[in-house]
């Protein structure tokens, strides 16, 4: 059994409640349930969390060190600003997949740059909340490759 860490940055607690034209109608609880189902079906477990506070995301990345087989992270707006989250991810030894619900490259120019992408093994953007499931399935698949 392996542990996978799924982290969400600021404002993603509002998923499904605002701006459905950009972020869809599913809530973060729906995303967590879908990810948990995938993990449990394969005999694994997940730690799924969201925070509006940068330090909390960093603490969870630190806690994943040596314990988690991979991180799926949607850093929200911290994607575009946080060297601190990048530094934390660089201390984590297993794969990192960056997920964005929207296609950040189709949006404002300030969303086009991601600090986290310089660390991530892969980036999924614009495929809605399905991106989380794809990322998790990929990490699970890597265990046997
Ligand atoms: O597309 C994504 O997943 C983003 O990471 C979402 C961030 C945004 O700052 C990034 O550029 C792209 C924003 C998250 C805000 O989430 C909300 C969800 C529902 C309603 C309002 C905000």
């Amino acid at each position: 059994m392996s542990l996978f860490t799924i982290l969400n940055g600021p404002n993603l607690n509002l998923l499904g409640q605002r701006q459905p034209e950009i972020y869809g109608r599913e809530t973060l609880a729906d995303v967590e349930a879908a990810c948990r189902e995938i993990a449990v079906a394969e005999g694994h477990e997940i730690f799924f969390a969201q925070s509006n506070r940068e330090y909390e995301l960093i603490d969870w990345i630190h806690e994943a060190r040596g314990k988690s087989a991979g991180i799926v992270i949607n850093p929200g707006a911290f994607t575009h600003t946080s060297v601190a989250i990048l530094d934390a991810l660089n201390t984590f030894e297993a794969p990192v997949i960056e997920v964005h619900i929207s296609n950040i490259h189709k949006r404002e120019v300030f969303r086009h740059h991601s600090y986290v992408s310089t660390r991530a093994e892969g980036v999924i953007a614009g495929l809605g909340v399905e991106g989380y499931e794809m990322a998790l399935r990929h990490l699970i698949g890597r265990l046997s490759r």
Side-chain angles (χ1 to χ4, degrees):
M1 178 193 273
S2 295
L3 170 70
F4 295 94
T5 300
I6 306 175
L7 300 177
N8 296 277
N11 298 307
L12 285 160
N13 53 311
L14 298 178
L15 202 61
Q17 297 172 40
R18 300 265 191 289
Q19 297 178 271
E21 67 288 356
I22 303 177
Y23 299 113
R25 295 197 181 276
E26 285 181 84
T27 66
L28 204 60
D30 295 331
V31 178
E32 176 172 3
C35 289
R36 198 170 296 283
E37 198 176 310
I38 290 166
V40 168
E42 301 284 339
H44 302 300
E45 60 176 314
I46 59 167
F47 172 74
F48 189 103
Q50 184 276 334
S51 182
N52 296 323
R53 300 171 185 84
E54 193 174 17
Y55 75 86
E56 212 157 18
L57 293 160
I58 292 166
D59 286 348
W60 287 327
I61 294 167
H62 292 174
E63 281 168 24
R65 295 176 66 231
K67 288 191 208 142
S68 182
I71 293 178
V72 175
I73 185 166
N74 181 348
F78 291 147
T79 305
H80 319 296
T81 62
S82 182
V83 175
I85 288 177
L86 170 63
D87 286 346
L89 289 170
N90 279 333
T91 73
F92 179 71
E93 64 290 340
V96 174
I97 309 292
E98 177 183 352
V99 169
H100 298 286
I101 298 164
S102 64
N103 181 356
I104 54 175
H105 301 289
K106 214 177 163 185
R107 301 182 65 189
E108 302 96 324
V109 170
F110 66 82
R111 295 187 203 274
H112 294 182
H113 177 261
S114 164
Y115 284 101
V116 172
S117 293
T118 66
R119 164 65 181 87
E121 268 64 34
V123 182
I124 300 171
L127 301 184
V129 295
E130 196 186 342
Y132 288 86
E133 297 170 37
M134 295 169 79
L136 180 58
R137 284 188 207 281
H138 174 81
L139 288 177
I140 292 171
R142 280 177 85 112
L143 292 176
S144 52
R145 282 196 288 272

